[in-house]
Amino acid sequence: MSAGKEDQILRSELEVLRDYLRRHGMRFTPEREAICREVFARHDHFTVDELYLDLRRKRRISRASLYRTIPILIAAGLISEVFTDSGQTRYEHTYGHEHHCHLLCLECGRVVEFAEPSLKQVEQRVAREHGFVVRGHRLEVHGLCPRCQGKEKEGRGRRREKKKT
Amino acid sequence: MSAGKEDQILRSELEVLRDYLRRHGMRFTPEREAICREVFARHDHFTVDELYLDLRRKRRISRASLYRTIPILIAAGLISEVFTDSGQTRYEHTYGHEHHCHLLCLECGRVVEFAEPSLKQVEQRVAREHGFVVRGHRLEVHGLCPRCQGKEKEGRGRRREKKKT
DNA sequence: GTAATTGCAAACCGTTTGCAAACCG
DNA sequence: CGGTTTGCAAACGGTTTGCAATTAC
């Protein structure tokens, strides 16, 4: 991703967004600004619906705007999809942060972030070998967290939970 | 995963399935057998629907049986989810195969598999540091394949295609 | 002014589920 | 036989989309 360039002044996420929009003939609207602010205000792995409910408390906004804005934030290098959890995609803001990987508990869904610098070299090697230009990577390590070891259900993993209305 | 244990006689996937089912008080039905065979007959990253359409040509089967059987095959260590592509989950059979990672073209969806033995150590280190028991990992490297470099649309990636009926 | 964007509601589509009939052990 | 599994069709739920009204530039 384009983040994490050290020795370089970091523009604010809003500037990045504004620039991206301008360069693409798109408009910098209050909705897009609010969504971007909200995304950088939280420091978790959020779903579109969580974002929607929080934003909704502060202003008028529709889910459609969220669904239409998320891909823009991704293309602008501000956020990325981190993983899919019971059918819903989870995102995190990445602009200005070191790249990191995720350790996931298969039983309870707990997430631990960790750095793995060696993956940069893996990226390079693979890209060279296959003629790709690399844009990024995603590493998930799956396992059982301390609390969930032993009480393992020997089953088919977490089921999708019913929506809590 | 439980695959890839060298110096050990490899049971056939059907035996593995039969054992798993018996140990769990479930039945070895012709449907489950057919699904398992089909999964090991193909060597690609398939969606449930692709599997369904192919199986359908050979025998009577319902989508529901597929959706109910896939989690069993996963729990039995025969297949795994590889990635999500325009909203659909793609799987591959993994039993009896060395673990590998995937290099994905963001533009056309092309997939290249590659081995990365060093990830075993990464798994171990992270697991130790956080007290997890590791079950496996998934590494995706994202980029542009040779054909798609340059013609890059500077956009929001591939859109979900309409179903081809 | 005018093309882009928003909100709404309906459509979409992959997946899950209730139920009666079929069937494995 | 009895509890599992199947197929069907309907339900679910996250995401996308058509459209008229609104708005950034």
Side-chain angles (χ1 to χ4, degrees):
Chain A
M1 298 290 123
S2 62
K5 280 274 176 289
E6 306 81 3
D7 312 331
Q8 188 178 307
I9 288 130
L10 214 56
R11 289 175 303 156
S12 86
E13 49 274 9
L14 287 177
E15 283 180 73
V16 172
L17 176 58
R18 189 166 1 226
D19 276 16
Y20 179 88
L21 292 170
R22 183 164 35 229
R23 275 185 289 120
H24 292 262
M26 302 166 94
R27 295 174 184 171
F28 186 73
T29 64
E31 289 78 8
R32 287 171 179 168
E33 177 178 348
I35 294 169
C36 186
R37 283 186 191 283
E38 182 66 29
V39 159
F40 279 84
R42 33 164 79 232
H43 296 272
D44 58 349
H45 303 111
F46 57 90
T47 62
V48 169
D49 220 59
E50 288 166 359
L51 201 57
Y52 170 71
L53 293 174
D54 282 355
L55 262 171
R56 197 78 202 271
R57 278 195 223 111
K58 305 174 186 163
R59 54 152 19 260
R60 184 160 187 278
I61 192 91
S62 71
R63 278 194 177 79
S65 292
L66 282 174
Y67 280 110
R68 286 189 276 232
T69 301
I70 294 278
I72 296 173
L73 298 182
I74 291 176
L78 293 170
I79 71 176
S80 13
E81 229 179 276
V82 271
F83 48 79
T84 295
D85 168 54
S86 315
Q88 287 174 94
T89 307
R90 290 194 172 271
Y91 305 87
E92 67 183 6
H93 65 248
T94 42
Y95 179 70
H97 291 263
E98 284 301 327
H99 178 80
H100 55 262
C101 308
H102 298 93
L103 176 57
L104 309 176
C105 177
L106 295 168
E107 198 54 36
C108 71
R110 192 175 146 205
V111 183
V112 178
E113 304 188 341
F114 65 94
E116 185 48 50
S118 76
L119 288 176
K120 280 239 167 59
Q121 292 151 42
V122 174
E123 271 187 358
Q124 295 314 314
R125 177 179 64 75
V126 181
R128 195 176 342 106
E129 285 175 9
H130 297 97
F132 271 59
V133 171
V134 173
R135 280 300 174 72
H137 66 258
R138 184 151 80 177
L139 171 64
E140 291 170 17
V141 177
H142 300 160
L144 297 176
C145 76
R147 271 203 298 281
C148 292
Q149 292 165 31
K151 70 172 176 179
E152 187 193 353
K153 298 203 192 51
E154 179 59 292
R156 42 299 288 279
R158 292 196 296 154
R159 311 268 53 193
R160 180 188 293 211
E161 289 139 31
K162 285 293 178 201
K163 188 173 188 171
K164 48 174 176 280
T165 315
Chain B
M1 299 292 121
S2 62
K5 281 272 175 287
E6 307 81 1
D7 312 330
Q8 189 176 306
I9 287 132
L10 213 56
R11 289 175 303 157
S12 87
E13 48 272 10
L14 287 177
E15 282 180 73
V16 172
L17 176 59
R18 187 161 8 220
D19 276 15
Y20 179 89
L21 291 171
R22 182 163 37 226
R23 274 184 291 123
H24 292 261
M26 302 167 93
R27 295 176 182 168
F28 185 75
T29 64
E31 289 78 8
R32 288 173 178 166
E33 176 178 349
I35 294 169
C36 185
R37 281 186 192 283
E38 182 66 29
V39 158
F40 279 84
R42 35 164 77 233
H43 296 273
D44 58 351
H45 303 109
F46 57 89
T47 62
V48 169
D49 220 60
E50 287 167 359
L51 201 57
Y52 170 70
L53 293 175
D54 281 356
L55 263 172
R56 197 82 204 267
R57 278 196 222 109
K58 305 174 185 163
R59 54 156 14 262
R60 186 161 185 276
I61 191 92
S62 71
R63 277 193 177 82
S65 292
L66 283 174
Y67 281 110
R68 287 190 274 233
T69 301
I70 294 279
I72 297 174
L73 298 182
I74 291 176
L78 293 170
I79 71 175
S80 13
E81 230 179 276
V82 271
F83 48 79
T84 295
D85 168 54
S86 316
Q88 288 174 92
T89 307
R90 290 194 171 271
Y91 305 86
E92 67 183 6
H93 64 250
T94 41
Y95 179 70
H97 290 263
E98 283 302 326
H99 178 80
H100 56 262
C101 308
H102 297 94
L103 175 58
L104 309 176
C105 177
L106 295 167
E107 198 54 35
C108 70
R110 194 175 145 205
V111 183
V112 178
E113 305 188 340
F114 65 94
E116 186 48 50
S118 76
L119 288 176
K120 279 239 167 62
Q121 293 151 41
V122 174
E123 272 187 358
Q124 295 313 314
R125 178 180 62 75
V126 181
R128 194 175 343 106
E129 284 174 10
H130 300 280
F132 272 58
V133 171
V134 173
R135 281 300 175 70
H137 66 258
R138 185 149 82 177
L139 171 63
E140 292 171 16
V141 177
H142 300 159
L144 297 176
C145 75
R147 270 204 297 283
C148 291
Q149 291 164 30
K151 71 170 175 182
E152 189 193 350
K153 298 203 194 52
E154 179 57 292
R156 44 297 289 280
R158 293 195 297 154
R159 311 268 53 191
R160 182 188 292 212
E161 290 141 29
K162 286 292 179 201
K163 189 173 189 173
K164 46 175 178 282
T165 313

